[in-house]
Amino acid sequence: MRFGTIGTGNITRQWIAASALGNLELAAVYSRYQEKGEKFASEYGDVRVYTDLEAFLSDTQIEAVYIASPNHLHFDQARRALLHGKHVIVEKPFVPTLNECKTLMALALEKGCMLFEAVPNVFQPALRTIQENLPKLGKLCLVTCHLTQYSSRYDAFLKGEVPNVFNPRMAGGALMDLGVYEIHFMCALFGKPEKIQYHPNLAANGIDVSGILNLSYPSFQASLVVGKDCHSENFCLIEGDEGYLKVDGSVSLLPEIILNGKTILTSPLVNPLNEEAKAIGQCLEEKRVDWMKHWWEATWMVTEVLEEARRSGNLPF
Ligand SMILES: NC(=O)c1ccc[n+]([C@@H]2O[C@H](COP(=O)([O-])OP(=O)(O)OC[C@H]3O[C@@H](n4cnc5c(N)ncnc54)[C@H](OP(=O)(O)O)[C@@H]3O)[C@@H](O)[C@H]2O)c1
């Protein structure tokens, strides 16, 4: 299936590199700038370049659109692509609000189009390994998750620039950028929490540069740390009264899974988007609406949690 891309950042390159695993073929690129689009497209051979979004979406050669633009644009770009009858793959975080999420899902059904959130960790085989081993931990007590990454754009932010990822008007911030991985991880394993409370460290423009998200489940508590202004070793610990399971490394990648001190799975160091591209490609090829709706449940839940978390932390969007 041929697809076009919106956004010319590194994540788009990573997606294109993984896309062949899902039998997906790059046919066109949209950029706001002709020269930038051409430079990007030249890395991939015979690929058309558009600077007009309507013209791009009207290209009948493109059957699917991959969107990797700043978060606040996801909704409108996905909506317009669906209105043109395209299948749509939206980078994480899907869209800022639950209303937007519902609108896109309803539109996709109306148009007979497939719609996905591209969030790599939920497609990793390691997630299933964790699910299978949870019963060995006994009664769950605590989950502690740590995901910090000093942003390559943070120094510019400190000097007074406002990179997209630190812009509240673009639905940026540590929770939206990194917290989304942790929340997907938690919702995949344990469902929606009963209580959600985000305690952010706010910069002067109101954006959360780091913070702690507390999630209460009926019988255990979870504490999720996110940070784009600091960094250390990342991990996640799931502790029960009969044992513990540790993700050694970021929950966005799930590189190593340890059960009671013993490594039970190490994932190969490959493009982290490979598994999601494979799964989404197969889903598109086989028109597996049932898979897509199953993944929608997660996206819906995570969007709801993100929205409640932002509200609880008084974030300005
Ligand atoms: N799955 C993952 O592991 C992963 C990793 C990184 C990012 N992401 C997600 O991918 C998306 C893009 O992230 P990013 O860091 O690449 O974002 P970004 O650098 O802020 O922007 C991405 C692209 O959008 C276009 N753009 C930038 N500013 C814009 C503006 N003000 N108005 C309209 N278009 C604009 C640019 O393309 P042109 O200049 O060519 O138009 C740019 O290449 C985000 O949703 C992010 O959460 C996912």
Side-chain angles (χ1 to χ4, degrees), residues 8 31-32 36 71 73-74 91-92 153 164 170 181:
T8 49
S31 168
R32 293 164 300 164
K36 193 175 175 190
N71 301 340
L73 297 175
H74 291 183
E91 259 306 332
K92 63 81 197 166
R153 291 145 177 169
N164 298 345
M170 292 184 156
Y181 293 113

Side-chain angles (χ1 to χ4, degrees), residues 97-123:
T97 70
L98 189 60
N99 269 343
E100 291 169 334
C101 176
K102 288 179 188 172
T103 303
L104 288 187
M105 288 173 180
L107 185 59
L109 293 178
E110 187 190 317
K111 291 284 175 186
C113 295
M114 307 288 270
L115 172 70
F116 307 93
E117 179 183 17
V119 57
N121 55 351
V122 299
F123 295 98

